[in-house]
Amino acid sequence: MATSARTAGQGLLSRYGWTIWIGILAVLVAQGLYSFARQRIDGHQLAGLDDTAPWGLYIAGFVFFVGASAGSTVIGLTVHGFGRKDYEPLATRAILIGLLSLAAAVTFIAVDVGRIERMFLLPWFWHNPTSMFFYTSITYYVFAAILLAELYYTVRLTRGSTEPRDRWMAKWLAIMAVPFALVVLHAPHGALFAVVKAREFWANPLLPPHFAVVALVSGLALVIPVAIVTSWLKKRELVGTHTLAHMGALLALLIAVTAVLDFFDWLVFAYSDKAAGVAAWDILFGSHLVLSVIHVGGYMAALATLFFVLRFRREWLVPGLVVACAITLLAVAGYRYNLVTVGQAVSLLPVIPVNEYWPSGTEISIAVGIIALTALSYSILTKVLPLEEDAPAQREEPAVVTGRLAPAGEST
Amino acid sequence: MPRYGMVIDLERCMGCRACMEACKVENNTPEGAFWMHVFRFEEGEYPDTKVGFLPRPCQHCENAPCVKVCPVQARYMQDDGVVLTDFKRCIGCRYCIVACPYGVNHFNWTPPEDAYYLDWDDPDLEKATGGAVPPYDNPDLDQPHGDRGTLVAGGGHYDGTTEKCTFCVQRLEKDLLPACVSNCPVDVFSFGDLDDPESAPSQALRSRRAFRLKEELNTSPKVFYVGQPPPSEEIRPIDIVSSTGGQ
Amino acid sequence: MARFSRKTFLVGAGAGAGTLVSASHLVSPGRGAGQSAAPAPVEEWVPTACWIGKQDCGMLARRIDGRVVKFEGHPAHPRNLGTLCPKGMAQIISVYDPNRVKAPLVRTNAKGQTGEWRQVSWDEALDRVARKIKEVSSDDPGLILWQKGRSKTKEFYDTAFVKALGATKLGHGAYCSDAGYRACEFTVGVEGVLHPDFRHTRYLLSWGWNITNAGGNKLCWITWNRQLLEARERGVKVVVIDPRLRGAGPFADEWLPIRPATDLALALALARELVRQGYVDREYLRRFTNAPFLVQEDGFFLRAGDKEQVWDTATNSAVPFDAAKKPALVGEYTVGGEKVKPAFQLFTEHLDTYTPDWAAEVTGLPAEKIRAVAEELGRNAMIGATIEVEGVSLPYRPVSAMAYHMCQQELGFEAIRAMVMVFMLLGAVGAVGGQSIDLGGWKVEAEKFDKWGEVEIGDPPYNFYLKDSKFFPINTGSPSIVAKVMEDPKRYGVEKLPEMVILHMHNPLGAVPDRKLISSMYAKIPFVVDINAWLSETADYYADVVLPAATVEKYEGPLGATDQYVDAVALRVPAMKPLFESRGEIDIYLDLTEKAGLLYGEEGYLEQINEALKLVEVDEETGEVTRGPYALPLDRKPKVRQIFDRWAKSQGIEGGVAYFEKHGVYVKGPIEAAKYFGFAMDPPFGGLVHRLYGEPLLRYQEEMKAKGAAEIYWQDYTPFPTWRVPTMDRSPSEYDLYLISYKLIEHKQSRSSFIPLLAEIARRQELSINPKTAKERGIDDGDEVWVESHNAVTGETRKVEVQARYTETIRPDTVGMAHHFGTWTHPEAEGQGPSPNEIFFSGEGYVANTADQSFHVKVRVFKA
């Protein structure tokens, strides 16, 4: 019974657990807001950034979440493009993850720029056709519109709409969203870095397609644990083991592609005969060694874990997936952070010394606050919005509703 | 329409950094910001050591990466070749800073009232200065300048924006030379119209072999160096002045 | 089921975003957009003179609506031609510094610790000081010590004020370059050390000249540098003789990394080589020096009556030196049964042991290099050549040296003498392209030349700086020696010690070695007055009264403005009112002398000013005073501006002081060759006979011995400069490194390290150390280290902690520190690191035979 299921759903967590969860997130958001206010008043000097390395944790967070946002669209594609109905229970959640990740990304940018109020005037009043930042700012609005539209139609479907237009819109939006997200939204973020000839570590034509693949990796690696944790909390499976295994295999494939791209990226870079190349290498294996290990080692460990549970220990699939995805997210985060910081850690000219950048307390505080705000929004929105598991059971039946309801059954 | 450029004579430079100070006072750049920077370096091993100096203003590139990447065209090149920042438009994204191969940019990390060295909040002092912060505050800088007729001059006054050398746009409009050029005790700088064959920089370039920094990046700087070969990769910076902003 | 329509969502999202944006806009600071409706600002350009440095570069103050916003160089000032060094440009921030002394201060707590102060009125403060002046004067005004650091106008301060009080004056020369001044005054009678005739020179020894940071002979910076670059365009070759290359920057065609304190050895070896290779200007030596004077076996000149004799080869007999046709320079002769030799003969014998191989051992330079430099000097000197300048044919000897502060070492007096003698051998002193000594021409100071040759060494009691004593017959007058005397007056035969000191722009605890010794001196002086814009460290610990001086915002002068080729004079004119309650020093002295009853009347400050400014003429013999038309009346107190107006008019400058208020500098015109070149004077060199052979020095030595002075005082009083191992080298072998100090272009003595714009570009102390040396001691670049010095005479040790900085530009056996840091009173000075003056020693073994300070000591360096 949908209604009873909904009532049961209200006990998603015990009231006590839910309050604690929201409470923790609210505290984290509050401390982030406080740091943000201080940063507004005392200036960006509170960050660990300086003129030699003006981009840091905020920009790393920004590209991470744009990537996650873009990658989350893969669920919609799987459902509507490849007809995988078993992914359907994740559809709304994936769109929410997409929207909220995008919001997180924009928030990261907003706390990073010096003049937030002017940032929102771009691209409406001011533009520069040669700037990747200009283009990406347009894509946020377009992508948000696509995702919102997708959400609208998906919710309508969840609530039982049988109008063909709704299904058609949901389908084509979901399908379109992916190439848009990867090629028009996220690859240009790679181009944002790649067009900077001054930074040898970034000036690499492989970077935009690399970003597209990493987006898929991070998006998928975010959706999978969300699905698993939600299932655990609701005490019912959103998707079956078979689907999870499929997602795990897909993730493994994507990680492998990314790792190959990373490998050749670094291989060509290792042949650099310029001091900048050598310096970057020294940093990657020097002060940033831990991050490099998290990045490369993380991919390897995630792949190994996925391979192991998929091939040898299916019974450990669920915890294996959670572990692999957590490692993957860390690896992607490490990759993003290294990319942003190492690119700037290398001196521009032999005469110019570089100061080592590490994020300050303010930056970490604000970053944590944004992530907590995203989680908080997600928690609240998934309470408020109608989700697939609350849908009337027979979504494939014609729209005419008879008095009889099919028993709540398992998905195929 | 002139096309302004500069020639720097490394055979004369004594690395005294008077140009850094002249720029700083003229343009009121805040603590940690050096639009003109003079690098000092040494090379080789005792006793075959060499010492060198390299002044580096903004290169005012013809093909400026900073102009290309600014999302709002706050960073732009005027008709006379000077590359400026519109402080009323800059959103402070700092893309220009990462894109610049020469590291000439400074982001205003600190609000102006905290950015000028000492605590100027002193009633005895305010009697003499009228409360100006810094007390040598240059009133020219708050006026509109340049082709766009907007706020492009000076430093440190607009926090959350990025700034850099403007070739002293407020002085050019008065037919004065940039502060660094005019102040150099040993005449290191020639400044003027690169398209005028009789201008000081044109003459300097005619008679001497010149290089530009990072020519291979195709930025086409309008700042040329004569008198010494380009610094090699073996040089070691000395007397480092950090150009910074964070805490 | 929640009612959550698309509309709600969109509205909510929009509201949320809008709130965020507007809220942040409220908190968004920053200046407002340009206001252009205000009336056009009033802009003025007021000429004035830089205050922070030494040579008073001309400035133009840009003043907008009454507020000075910038100083720029004055285009017409010959020394800086419209430019300023970084200090001059940065000083604007220091003028407005709220940490300046704002009002007169009276100490309320005990000395020897950070001061606590009571702000008082000028009246009260000056009354206190005047009372003390009267009190000490009633006993002996000579017990008032007037101690300057930088005196921007000798006439008003060093001369008039000191004379009006009858005080004892000490300058900073002992820490500056006065060993060199004494050497040049003694040898050729000109005041200064060594600088080239840049316009014509072709081969230049940059001997310890810190080209890119410091002034060279007598100047601050900018001026010599411009002339050097012009000379380089003509192809001048620069040989740098310095333990450290950094000073010379890229301008060294060759670097001779000489061991510290061995310059005398190099000079002697060069002299020997020049003689051996035959590069000797015999004509100059014969005609203008005492080289041909016959010396007896006892070392003194052969005299008939009081006339020194020479051997005339024309008549083959001994004749008075001014009657000889062709005096001999070499040989051995017998006169009246006595064996005599010309001084030059003795010189060649004296030089015999100073071979390049010997010098290589001592200086650490390759012997071939020493020979090569001698050969280049000799060849480039073009002995015998002449050139026409302004229609006059003059000797052309385009070889020269620039040397200044390096003479402040134990053997400094002798080293400069030896260096001058090298150029005397070449006939290059006062020649075209050759060696100059004073600014603005070959100004012969016959009085000084005579004085240093006729010192009467007295018997105790001596005055507190041991003037005319058996310790320092030629005596620069050193505050550090005063400090030693005050530690043990009996030992030095001194009975009266200073009762009061007036500090004029000086900070001994910052600027003077050694800090411990100087502290003990100031602790003992009963009354200390500090006239300074800043609360100096000395005032902090020892001042009774602090009088706030203005910095650039006052009338001061007359300021010499020559660049050596053009004669000019300038005034410091205030571009704004003195800040806070500060006042110009002339102003202060007028009021102070008035309160002390020393302003008016024939002996008063006003009349002393008249004399110093030549507004009256005093006949030296009769003492008769002729009053010029602009002389100050002696019965009323003038305004400072009025004094300058009279002075300017007395100089024939139309408009008086208003001329300077409009134009800043008065350019008199080029210095004519007849004034510039010693050879071109009439008679050449003012008729002085240059002292190749320093006979008086021998006489002093004998008298010092006879009066029982210890060897350490008389050992360097030799007629020819004679090498010995410096005293500091007697320190135990674990003190294996030499410590030297040097200037930075960004700073000036101890009065600038706290100026924020300068501190920003030269933030803190560093120990320059050769990487090889550092690595041997396990020291990494940037490590904190201890530098411990040792006094070879007393066995004392001192140490400071400092950050090490690798550089390949310094000898492996040498470490160096800039001398500008180690202060503490200003908030910006925190964390800047120590001063080398904390570990240099003074006194015996660490001063020259002229009492000049040595800035060398043996140290050991180890990781902190």
Side-chain angles (χ1 to χ4, degrees):
Chain A
M1 315 285 248
T3 317
S4 55
R6 194 59 174 135
T7 323
Q10 222 133 40
L12 188 70
L13 292 168
S14 71
R15 179 135 260 147
Y16 187 60
W18 171 258
T19 317
I20 300 238
W21 172 243
I22 295 297
I24 293 173
L25 288 178
V27 165
L28 291 175
V29 170
Q31 63 87 40
L33 274 172
Y34 170 73
S35 295
F36 174 68
R38 277 201 62 210
Q39 189 182 268
R40 287 297 293 172
I41 294 169
D42 288 336
H44 280 66
Q45 61 175 317
L46 294 181
L49 305 163
D50 68 9
D51 292 333
T52 63
W55 283 356
L57 187 62
Y58 298 150
I59 297 289
F62 156 63
V63 285
F64 179 88
F65 279 103
V66 179
S69 172
S72 66
T73 58
V74 71
I75 302 295
L77 178 69
T78 322
V79 170
H80 295 277
F82 296 112
R84 294 282 307 224
K85 296 278 179 251
D86 58 330
Y87 277 71
E88 235 178 49
L90 301 177
T92 309
R93 287 197 162 79
I95 298 171
L96 273 180
I97 288 171
L99 272 168
L100 291 173
S101 293
L102 185 66
V106 173
T107 312
F108 266 110
I109 277 285
V111 303
D112 184 71
V113 298
R115 293 286 175 131
I116 300 179
E117 71 281 8
R118 293 180 187 172
M119 180 182 110
F120 288 104
L121 296 177
L122 153 81
W124 311 113
F125 292 105
W126 299 320
H127 27 76
N128 185 356
T130 57
S131 169
M132 296 314 304
F133 234 153
F134 166 65
Y135 288 118
T136 58
S137 65
I138 299 176
T139 59
Y140 302 142
Y141 290 100
V142 176
F143 190 56
I146 293 174
L147 286 177
L148 283 170
E150 213 187 318
L151 181 68
Y152 173 73
Y153 286 108
T154 307
V155 163
R156 279 177 73 94
L157 289 176
T158 307
R159 275 153 130 203
S161 163
T162 50
E163 284 193 44
R165 201 186 115 225
D166 287 348
R167 179 146 290 268
W168 188 88
M169 285 298 286
K171 174 176 176 178
W172 284 105
L173 280 169
I175 292 172
M176 231 188 64
V178 175
F180 184 88
L182 298 179
V183 176
V184 181
L185 174 73
H186 199 54
H189 284 76
L192 197 113
F193 294 93
V195 298
V196 177
K197 291 242 267 300
R199 313 268 175 188
E200 202 189 328
F201 194 61
W202 292 347
N204 164 18
L206 207 51
L207 208 56
H210 191 176
F211 264 45
V213 180
V214 175
L216 286 169
V217 168
S218 56
L220 194 53
L222 195 49
V223 172
I224 294 174
V226 168
I228 293 174
V229 169
T230 309
S231 303
W232 180 75
L233 289 171
K234 284 203 157 187
K235 295 191 175 31
R236 61 185 263 188
E237 284 186 352
L238 280 180
V239 291
T241 323
H242 176 69
T243 312
L244 285 174
H246 188 251
M247 290 169 95
L250 182 58
L251 180 62
L253 173 66
L254 290 167
I255 292 175
V257 173
T258 299
V260 165
L261 287 171
D262 260 323
F263 173 77
F264 282 105
D265 204 340
W266 282 26
L267 176 74
V268 174
F269 194 72
Y271 276 77
S272 171
D273 57 357
K274 297 203 201 115
V278 172
W281 201 252
D282 287 340
I283 296 169
L284 282 171
F285 293 103
S287 53
H288 282 226
L289 179 62
V290 170
L291 289 155
S292 304
V293 165
I294 290 175
H295 166 208
V296 175
Y299 284 161
M300 297 301 115
L303 270 176
T305 310
L306 288 169
F307 181 72
F308 182 70
V309 299
L310 286 171
R311 184 82 174 75
F312 297 114
R313 284 274 185 280
R314 271 301 173 102
E315 61 270 31
W316 292 353
L317 179 64
V318 169
L321 277 176
V322 172
V323 166
C325 288
I327 295 174
T328 303
L329 287 172
L330 278 174
V332 173
Y335 163 71
R336 302 293 199 179
Y337 182 86
N338 253 3
L339 178 76
V340 171
T341 56
V342 173
Q344 298 169 86
V346 171
S347 170
L348 290 168
L349 287 168
V351 281
I352 302 180
V354 182
N355 305 325
E356 214 181 359
Y357 161 73
W358 293 107
S360 71
T362 303
E363 287 174 272
I364 295 172
S365 163
I366 294 180
V368 165
I370 295 174
I371 295 170
L373 181 61
T374 311
L376 184 64
S377 311
Y378 179 81
S379 306
I380 293 177
L381 283 171
T382 48
K383 254 211 172 261
V384 157
L385 284 173
L387 299 164
E388 279 77 4
E389 61 268 27
D390 312 316
Q394 304 268 335
R395 270 190 285 145
E396 282 135 68
E397 302 281 271
V400 174
V401 179
T402 67
R404 281 177 305 131
L405 289 167
E410 296 180 26
S411 329
T412 41
Chain B
M1 181 56 60
R3 194 166 63 96
Y4 287 124
M6 185 188 274
V7 178
I8 298 180
D9 191 345
L10 297 177
E11 210 157 44
R12 296 182 70 87
C13 180
M14 302 225 165
C16 75
R17 295 177 161 161
C19 51
M20 285 170 73
E21 295 297 294
C23 170
K24 180 159 277 279
V25 175
E26 171 70 37
N27 293 298
N28 294 170
T29 55
E31 220 170 322
F34 286 102
W35 290 1
M36 165 61 87
H37 204 127
V38 177
F39 298 107
R40 299 175 178 168
F41 50 91
E42 61 177 57
E43 198 178 350
E45 257 183 51
Y46 175 86
D48 302 311
T49 324
K50 293 236 169 311
V51 176
F53 308 116
L54 186 84
R56 187 236 55 210
C58 169
Q59 309 284 291
H60 292 270
C61 307
E62 270 305 285
N63 185 23
C66 63
V67 171
K68 283 213 269 260
V69 302
C70 175
V72 291
Q73 280 194 20
R75 182 62 63 82
Y76 64 101
M77 185 167 78
Q78 297 197 127
D79 288 339
D80 61 4
V82 179
V83 177
L84 296 171
T85 316
D86 182 347
F87 293 124
K88 293 187 82 169
R89 211 189 256 207
C90 173
I91 68 171
C93 72
R94 311 190 293 286
Y95 200 0
C96 54
I97 308 186
V98 300
C100 175
Y102 310 105
V104 310
N105 290 283
H106 170 77
F107 178 74
N108 280 303
W109 305 95
T110 313
E113 57 271 16
D114 294 332
Y116 288 100
Y117 306 97
L118 297 176
D119 184 0
W120 302 109
D121 201 1
D122 182 304
D124 297 316
L125 181 65
E126 277 161 30
K127 282 190 216 139
T129 63
V133 172
Y136 52 89
D137 177 77
N138 181 354
D140 291 345
L141 306 176
D142 291 327
Q143 300 303 314
H145 295 285
D147 292 356
R148 282 196 196 172
T150 179
L151 300 178
V152 292
H157 294 174
Y158 310 102
D159 78 323
T161 60
T162 304
E163 57 183 52
K164 65 165 190 68
C165 156
T166 61
F167 272 169
C168 287
V169 58
Q170 74 278 8
R171 286 174 64 100
L172 293 179
E173 287 175 359
K174 291 196 259 188
D175 278 323
L176 295 171
L177 292 168
C180 54
V181 176
S182 137
N183 184 69
C184 177
V186 287
D187 299 333
V188 166
F189 303 100
S190 317
F191 182 88
D193 183 1
L194 291 173
D195 290 337
D196 171 8
E198 298 315 309
S199 73
S202 298
Q203 290 191 32
L205 290 173
R206 228 185 353 256
S207 55
R208 331 243 322 248
R209 184 172 296 181
F211 72 88
R212 290 180 292 185
L213 292 171
K214 298 195 152 187
E215 297 249 28
E216 68 277 12
L217 292 184
N218 213 32
T219 50
S220 254
K222 292 202 282 290
V223 173
F224 297 80
Y225 294 88
V226 298
Q228 295 274 0
S232 77
E233 300 226 330
E234 308 304 318
I235 61 166
R236 300 178 296 270
I238 61 175
D239 298 344
I240 293 168
V241 173
S242 29
S243 225
T244 180
Q247 275 179 340
Chain C
M1 200 122 37
R3 242 178 273 268
F4 202 84
S5 71
R6 177 177 56 180
K7 193 173 165 200
T8 318
F9 180 79
L10 286 172
V11 168
T19 316
L20 176 70
V21 169
S22 349
S24 66
H25 195 60
L26 284 172
V27 200
S28 165
R31 295 271 277 262
Q35 304 90 8
S36 38
V42 175
E43 180 171 346
E44 304 165 281
W45 290 88
V46 181
T48 182
C50 179
W51 174 84
I52 198 169
K54 168 179 177 177
Q55 69 185 40
D56 306 310
C57 288
M59 301 203 299
L60 283 172
R62 184 179 182 218
R63 191 165 68 194
I64 299 183
D65 287 337
R67 176 171 62 91
V68 174
V69 305
K70 192 177 181 206
F71 295 118
E72 293 188 4
H74 196 298
H77 197 292
R79 288 182 174 174
N80 58 313
L81 297 170
T83 68
L84 289 176
C85 79
K87 301 183 288 293
M89 187 48 78
Q91 82 190 285
I92 182 109
I93 199 176
S94 71
V95 176
Y96 291 119
D97 191 332
N99 295 290
R100 279 173 62 170
V101 182
K102 290 184 175 172
L105 302 173
V106 168
R107 189 182 205 91
T108 59
N109 66 341
K111 295 190 195 180
Q113 58 183 330
T114 290
E116 277 160 30
W117 308 95
R118 187 166 61 88
Q119 263 194 17
V120 301
S121 67
W122 272 101
D123 230 21
E124 187 188 328
L126 290 174
D127 272 336
R128 274 177 184 260
V129 179
R131 239 179 310 155
K132 198 68 189 174
I133 290 176
K134 285 192 204 163
E135 189 190 305
V136 177
S137 297
S138 64
D139 172 17
D140 176 2
L143 299 183
I144 303 174
L145 170 60
W146 185 81
Q147 171 70 69
K148 75 168 181 189
R150 170 65 55 203
S151 163
K152 295 290 192 176
T153 156
K154 282 198 156 73
E155 288 88 345
F156 282 89
Y157 308 144
D158 308 42
T159 312
F161 180 71
V162 168
K163 278 196 179 155
L165 261 60
T168 304
K169 159 182 78 175
L170 279 180
H172 69 257
Y175 312 111
C176 180
S177 50
D178 272 41
Y181 278 65
R182 302 294 90 77
C184 291
E185 286 158 6
F186 177 82
T187 308
V188 297
V190 181
E191 201 185 276
V193 194
L194 302 177
H195 72 263
D197 170 20
F198 272 110
R199 274 192 190 158
H200 301 100
T201 201
R202 293 165 59 96
Y203 187 84
L204 165 57
L205 299 180
S206 167
W207 206 313
W209 177 28
N210 191 350
I211 298 175
T212 61
N213 291 280
N217 189 24
K218 297 195 126 180
L219 289 179
C220 195
W221 202 65
I222 299 185
T223 312
W224 292 143
N225 303 72
R226 296 185 72 98
Q227 293 183 18
L228 172 69
L229 289 176
E230 275 165 32
R232 273 180 88 71
E233 274 171 28
R234 281 186 299 103
V236 83
K237 176 165 175 178
V238 178
V239 174
V240 170
I241 302 168
D242 199 314
R244 196 178 158 251
L245 179 65
R246 167 66 183 89
F251 301 104
D253 292 310
E254 274 212 61
W255 178 31
L256 271 52
I258 192 171
R259 175 174 287 129
T262 62
D263 308 271
L264 172 59
L266 176 63
L268 290 168
L270 288 175
R272 184 194 188 275
E273 272 303 290
L274 288 177
V275 171
R276 184 186 72 78
Q277 295 182 28
Y279 291 113
V280 179
D281 188 339
R282 296 187 138 70
E283 195 181 318
Y284 159 77
L285 289 175
R286 278 196 195 97
R287 290 178 63 196
F288 302 113
T289 79
N290 63 9
F293 288 16
L294 293 169
V295 183
Q296 301 164 161
E297 275 183 317
D298 65 358
F300 291 97
F301 289 138
L302 176 69
R303 286 182 172 83
D306 59 356
K307 268 275 166 73
E308 293 86 355
Q309 307 286 300
V310 299
W311 187 267
D312 194 344
T313 54
T315 61
N316 254 324
S317 61
V319 301
F321 69 90
D322 50 2
K325 293 226 173 38
K326 209 156 190 268
L329 286 176
V330 296
E332 194 181 314
Y333 307 98
T334 314
V335 178
E338 291 245 18
K339 283 216 186 77
V340 291
K341 291 180 188 172
F344 186 74
Q345 172 68 36
L346 281 178
F347 190 45
T348 60
E349 289 167 16
H350 175 76
L351 289 174
D352 203 40
T353 50
Y354 298 130
T355 63
D357 289 308
W358 164 87
E361 273 291 312
V362 175
T363 62
L365 299 172
E368 329 76 76
K369 246 303 112 78
I370 297 173
R371 268 187 277 268
V373 170
E375 194 273 334
E376 282 176 356
L377 268 174
R379 194 168 29 86
N380 279 286
M382 295 166 69
I383 294 172
T386 59
I387 188 173
E388 222 178 81
V389 180
E390 287 171 26
V392 184
S393 181
L394 293 168
Y396 180 54
R397 305 282 182 277
V399 294
S400 56
M402 175 73 87
Y404 200 50
H405 297 298
M406 51 70 69
C407 63
Q408 294 313 89
Q409 51 174 288
E410 202 194 357
L411 301 172
F413 175 79
E414 295 204 288
I416 297 295
R417 247 180 71 66
M419 285 152 71
V420 173
M421 285 156 75
V422 164
F423 289 97
M424 285 168 74
L425 287 174
L426 296 168
V429 285
V432 179
Q435 196 58 63
S436 295
I437 292 173
D438 199 351
L439 272 182
W442 193 268
K443 294 189 233 165
V444 174
E445 300 276 341
E447 247 183 66
K448 288 214 166 102
F449 184 78
D450 291 339
K451 176 171 93 161
W452 295 126
E454 292 161 10
V455 173
E456 305 249 350
I457 300 175
D459 288 311
Y462 299 125
N463 87 342
F464 54 75
Y465 70 82
L466 305 179
K467 187 168 188 236
D468 297 332
S469 69
K470 69 186 180 199
F471 302 102
F472 303 106
I474 300 182
N475 190 342
T476 290
S478 164
S480 298
I481 293 298
V482 175
K484 291 291 283 189
V485 166
M486 288 179 77
E487 265 187 354
D488 190 354
K490 279 205 167 57
R491 173 182 169 189
Y492 294 95
V494 176
E495 285 169 7
K496 288 180 163 190
L497 298 176
E499 290 287 318
M500 170 180 183
V501 61
I502 300 175
L503 288 165
H504 183 110
M505 199 168 170
H506 186 41
N507 180 17
L509 257 63
V512 163
D514 75 61
R515 181 177 279 180
K516 188 156 170 264
L517 178 68
I518 289 294
S519 295
S520 75
M521 167 181 166
Y522 276 85
K524 293 190 192 105
I525 299 179
F527 196 77
V528 176
V529 182
D530 188 23
I531 305 176
N532 204 326
W534 307 100
L535 186 74
S536 70
E537 284 65 30
T538 312
D540 188 37
Y541 267 43
Y542 297 114
D544 292 278
V545 177
V546 179
L547 302 175
T551 63
V552 73
E553 65 293 12
K554 60 197 173 194
Y555 283 98
E556 218 171 23
L559 308 171
T562 180
D563 70 338
Q564 94 157 319
Y565 294 119
V566 170
D567 199 7
V569 70
L571 283 186
R572 175 169 291 108
V573 167
M576 59 224 235
K577 283 208 190 21
L579 254 75
F580 314 119
E581 284 182 57
S582 70
R583 301 171 67 188
E585 285 92 328
I586 300 174
D587 217 359
I588 296 174
Y589 285 155
L590 285 170
D591 281 354
L592 181 59
T593 49
E594 187 185 25
K595 284 183 187 287
L598 299 170
L599 178 62
Y600 306 112
E602 284 170 26
E603 305 295 322
Y605 186 43
L606 289 174
E607 185 70 334
Q608 298 293 355
I609 293 173
N610 276 331
E611 275 182 49
L613 293 180
K614 298 200 177 31
L615 300 176
V616 302
E617 287 288 326
V618 183
D619 189 308
E620 276 189 31
E621 275 150 39
T622 65
E624 204 188 306
V625 177
T626 322
R627 312 200 73 75
Y630 299 105
L632 294 165
L634 303 183
D635 58 351
R636 65 202 106 106
K637 189 171 71 174
K639 290 252 178 312
V640 179
R641 183 180 183 274
Q642 289 165 349
I643 306 177
F644 283 111
D645 194 38
R646 288 169 178 264
W647 165 80
K649 288 176 173 147
S650 79
Q651 297 285 307
I653 297 172
E654 204 178 300
V657 74
Y659 175 89
F660 290 97
E661 285 163 346
K662 187 147 186 271
H663 302 287
V665 60
Y666 181 73
V667 178
K668 297 182 193 167
I671 293 169
E672 41 177 1
K675 288 216 172 80
Y676 184 89
F677 300 106
F679 274 104
M681 294 171 73
D682 185 21
F685 302 110
L688 298 187
V689 178
H690 293 163
R691 291 185 179 119
L692 186 80
Y693 187 82
E695 190 203 39
L697 302 176
L698 178 63
R699 177 167 64 75
Y700 301 148
Q701 188 184 70
E702 302 206 336
E703 281 179 35
M704 290 161 86
K705 281 184 193 166
K707 290 191 191 288
E711 183 177 353
I712 200 163
Y713 304 105
W714 54 253
Q715 64 184 330
D716 298 319
Y717 278 93
T718 54
F720 290 130
T722 309
W723 171 259
R724 63 168 174 87
V725 173
T727 308
M728 66 173 166
D729 282 319
R730 287 195 235 139
S731 284
S733 59
E734 69 254 31
Y735 296 94
D736 53 346
L737 301 172
Y738 294 96
L739 173 68
I740 60 172
S741 69
Y742 43 81
K743 287 192 156 89
L744 304 175
I745 185 60
E746 296 91 340
H747 287 310
K748 197 68 188 173
Q749 274 83 51
S750 71
R751 61 175 175 273
S752 81
S753 67
F754 49 79
I755 297 178
L757 291 185
L758 297 170
E760 190 177 30
I761 56 176
R763 188 167 292 288
R764 61 193 303 258
Q765 184 62 276
E766 286 179 349
L767 181 78
S768 290
I769 187 167
N770 189 296
K772 194 160 127 285
T773 309
K775 285 176 190 152
E776 278 167 14
R777 290 154 178 75
I779 297 169
D780 279 327
D781 188 25
D783 275 353
E784 289 284 319
V785 298
W786 286 105
V787 182
E788 186 184 58
S789 65
H790 179 270
N791 186 324
V793 173
T794 66
E796 280 177 274
T797 61
R798 305 263 166 86
K799 67 179 189 194
V800 288
E801 195 177 331
V802 65
Q803 189 179 43
R805 185 60 67 204
Y806 279 13
T807 175
E808 297 280 356
T809 59
I810 200 166
R811 283 177 60 92
D813 65 359
T814 306
V815 292
M817 282 198 245
H819 72 214
H820 308 288
F821 300 103
T823 60
W824 64 79
T825 56
H826 193 290
E828 285 287 303
E830 208 184 297
Q832 286 192 324
S835 166
N837 293 331
E838 297 175 54
I839 60 175
F840 282 129
F841 292 103
S842 194
E844 290 77 4
Y846 296 89
V847 294
N849 56 334
T850 54
D852 285 282
Q853 178 66 37
S854 165
F855 287 92
H856 294 111
V857 71
K858 295 304 289 279
V859 298
R860 66 186 183 108
V861 176
F862 52 99
K863 208 165 141 129

